[in-house]
Amino acid sequence: MSRSASYGSAAAAPSEVRPLIPAQGNGRRLQQRLTALQQEVAEVVEEAVESGSHTNGPRVRALEEAFKAYLQVADAIAVNSGSSALRAACELLRLPPGSEIIVPAYTFIMTAYSVNDAFAFDPQSGTLTKGGLIPVFVDIDPQTYTIDPASVREALSERTAALIAVHMLGQMADMRPLLELADEHRLFVIEDAAQAHGATYCDPRTHHIYYAGSMGDCGCFSLSDVKNIGSMGSDAGLLTLTTRLGSRLPFLSAEARAWRNTGRLGRHRYEHQTWGIRARMDEYSAAECLAQLRYLDSWVARRQQIAARYSAALAGTSFTAPYIAPGRRHAFFNYMVKAPTLEARHLLESRLRAAGIQVADTYSVVPDQPLYRQGQLPCRVVTTERAREVARLLVAIPCYPELREEEIARIEEVLSRCP
Ligand SMILES: Cc1ncc(COP(=O)(O)O)c(C=O)c1O
């Protein structure tokens, strides 16, 4: 719960005293779910007293099955964070040292860091090497703020092994051209669906509607407390595997389960047949995520309703409301408004604060962060211009199902007064 404190700088003193509208709804969600949660926790504790185990138990298995059915994927493996899911995806594909993985420049840093963090696998010697996988940063689409397929094409090299399609802010990346590019160049497609639970994409070729995390080879979900659904207070995540993986699928299913559990394939606690880290999900997180999955579609629908009201309020102003690409269902993990200039961004932010509305920090351009800019970790930067413009001008507006009518109206009022 302490993480809510990192969302947004403290609000400036409001001109009239009105209760602060938090940037994120995680605190309120916890408050609303407390009674149900207490009961779940009591049950898990009781079982754990008998079994001696709080992790990878029946609720974790039930969550995996529920996600599998909801997303219509071949497998779902619960882990302890979205970052672990990303690292597992990069690592378990056994890419050789020197492989490049294309990522958008506009994302949360863990998309790229997970690439650097993952072992490369030398098929000749069978050895694992750190530092062998290189993120390659490319630009985003100027309207959806998701990875731009044309920029991915420009960045291809003989070392490109995979790309990560980040479904940024809750809208899926343009998967059809990305998958075609991947098929043409024999690349893996990893979906970073950390922000996109419940988002969908209608494939323009087949007209089939896919959930985020079900179109690429692997999907990576964060289930931390601030996400559209997530564990309360602790980190959690989930890795999906799809039929695109073909004959690798059974092997990867088993490997991923071993990987999250220190490389154990069997039941013996201290026999480690393969490699892996501590990335198990606990039963409390699983129980809570499982309960929330039932509400996901209705919560996303509520986010969309609120988003539509904000966009209507912005009509006729010089600010740009989020663009929803045809055939896509935006899950509105974030509602971000693009200001026409930096001055206009600051003006809107100060008006929001003055109205008692918390303003969250917004994402930065990852290759501009010291970790990459100062060469602490290897990367290759191709294009970042549009990512820079977007990072400079976006303003985050609170948008979550727990907002009250008075609060939505207060936010609409500020947005409608934008120049
Ligand atoms: C786009 C993106 N990728 C990866 C992650 C990492 O997920 P986690 O915080 O669960 O490790 C996040 C978390 O917010 C994210 O937004």
Side-chain angles (χ1 to χ4, degrees):
M1 266 60 72
S2 58
R3 99 233 293 260
S4 57
S6 69
Y7 273 85
S9 3
S15 49
E16 46 184 296
V17 182
R18 283 189 283 184
L20 184 74
I21 302 177
Q24 298 282 348
N26 54 333
R28 289 184 183 178
R29 195 197 296 168
L30 176 58
Q31 191 182 40
Q32 286 170 8
R33 295 204 35 77
L34 208 50
T35 309
L37 203 59
Q38 275 164 342
Q39 196 180 329
E40 285 280 1
V41 168
E43 281 172 27
V44 180
V45 169
E46 210 164 296
E47 281 172 25
V49 170
E50 296 296 317
S51 67
S53 170
H54 298 244
T55 56
N56 287 358
R59 284 168 184 78
V60 168
R61 282 193 291 279
L63 178 69
E64 292 175 339
E65 285 306 314
F67 250 94
K68 211 171 114 175
Y70 176 79
L71 299 174
Q72 306 247 305
V73 288
D75 202 1
I77 298 115
V79 289
N80 64 346
S81 70
S83 306
S84 290
L86 280 163
R87 176 176 159 183
C90 296
E91 191 161 305
L92 296 175
L93 291 171
R94 297 188 173 216
L95 306 175
S99 296
E100 293 185 339
I101 300 186
I102 299 176
V103 300
Y106 186 65
T107 182
F108 181 51
I109 197 160
M110 293 313 287
T111 310
Y113 182 83
S114 304
V115 174
N116 297 106
D117 192 29
F119 279 120
F121 182 83
D122 186 338
Q124 242 89 62
S125 60
T127 50
L128 300 166
T129 339
K130 268 276 157 133
L133 303 182
I134 317 292
V136 175
F137 292 103
V138 302
D139 224 330
I140 53 169
D141 176 272
Q143 286 185 294
T144 61
Y145 314 144
T146 59
I147 192 165
D148 172 36
S151 303
V152 174
R153 190 177 282 282
E154 259 173 61
L156 292 173
S157 78
E158 70 282 2
R159 289 174 171 263
T160 311
L163 64 93
I164 304 185
V166 182
H167 304 320
M168 198 58 184
L169 310 181
Q171 174 158 225
M172 283 181 72
D174 196 1
M175 291 301 288
R176 174 44 52 200
L178 294 171
L179 291 170
E180 281 172 8
L181 203 68
D183 289 342
E184 201 185 312
H185 296 274
R186 297 165 61 87
L187 313 176
F188 290 108
V189 176
I190 299 168
E191 289 178 69
D192 182 341
Q195 304 187 359
H197 321 64
T200 64
Y201 179 96
C202 178
D203 187 341
R205 205 176 67 182
T206 61
H207 303 292
H208 186 86
I209 295 174
Y210 290 89
Y211 273 109
S214 71
M215 270 193 106
D217 294 278
C218 313
C220 304
F221 287 89
S222 167
L223 291 166
S224 73
D225 65 335
V226 293
K227 297 303 182 321
N228 285 8
I229 57 168
S231 154
M232 286 299 156
S234 134
D235 282 328
L238 191 120
L239 173 71
T240 59
L241 305 176
T242 77
T243 50
R244 267 181 71 84
L245 288 160
S247 58
R248 292 169 193 264
L249 193 54
F251 175 73
L252 273 168
S253 285
E255 284 268 292
R257 287 192 168 75
W259 180 88
R260 71 170 175 198
N261 204 9
T262 58
R264 278 164 50 187
L265 281 167
R267 295 179 70 84
H268 195 292
R269 185 176 275 237
Y270 302 114
E271 283 177 7
H272 314 273
Q273 291 84 353
T274 178
W275 82 93
I277 62 168
R278 274 286 204 208
R280 301 170 303 181
M281 185 186 281
D282 64 85
E283 286 281 285
Y284 309 97
S285 299
E288 180 52 7
C289 292
L290 191 57
Q292 289 184 20
L293 189 56
R294 282 180 225 122
Y295 303 107
L296 176 58
D297 284 326
S298 63
W299 285 351
V300 167
R302 182 67 185 141
R303 284 175 185 268
Q304 289 176 314
Q305 277 172 358
I306 299 169
R309 287 178 59 175
Y310 294 165
S311 296
L314 282 167
T317 72
S318 58
F319 285 64
T320 310
Y323 171 75
I324 307 172
R328 280 178 243 184
R329 176 164 87 161
H330 199 315
F332 285 106
F333 168 62
N334 280 294
Y335 183 97
M336 298 257 192
V337 175
K338 189 162 162 239
T341 61
L342 195 57
E343 295 68 43
R345 172 189 175 165
H346 292 152
L347 176 75
L348 174 57
E349 287 180 342
S350 67
R351 285 185 180 175
L352 287 164
R353 289 194 181 104
I357 301 161
Q358 198 175 28
V359 179
D361 296 332
T362 51
Y363 297 98
S364 49
V365 177
V366 174
D368 290 350
Q369 300 309 296
L371 180 66
Y372 291 108
R373 192 167 35 83
Q374 296 171 358
Q376 288 161 315
L377 284 178
C379 71
R380 183 159 74 84
V381 184
V382 180
T383 43
T384 57
E385 233 167 84
R386 292 192 294 261
R388 283 218 177 90
E389 147 116 356
V390 162
R392 224 166 67 90
L393 298 177
L394 287 190
V395 180
I397 311 294
C399 182
Y400 45 85
E402 296 80 8
L403 282 174
R404 299 169 192 128
E405 179 51 40
E406 175 279 320
E407 295 174 328
I408 298 168
R410 202 190 317 167
I411 295 169
E412 280 179 305
E413 160 70 14
V414 175
L415 294 178
S416 65
R417 284 193 292 106
C418 278

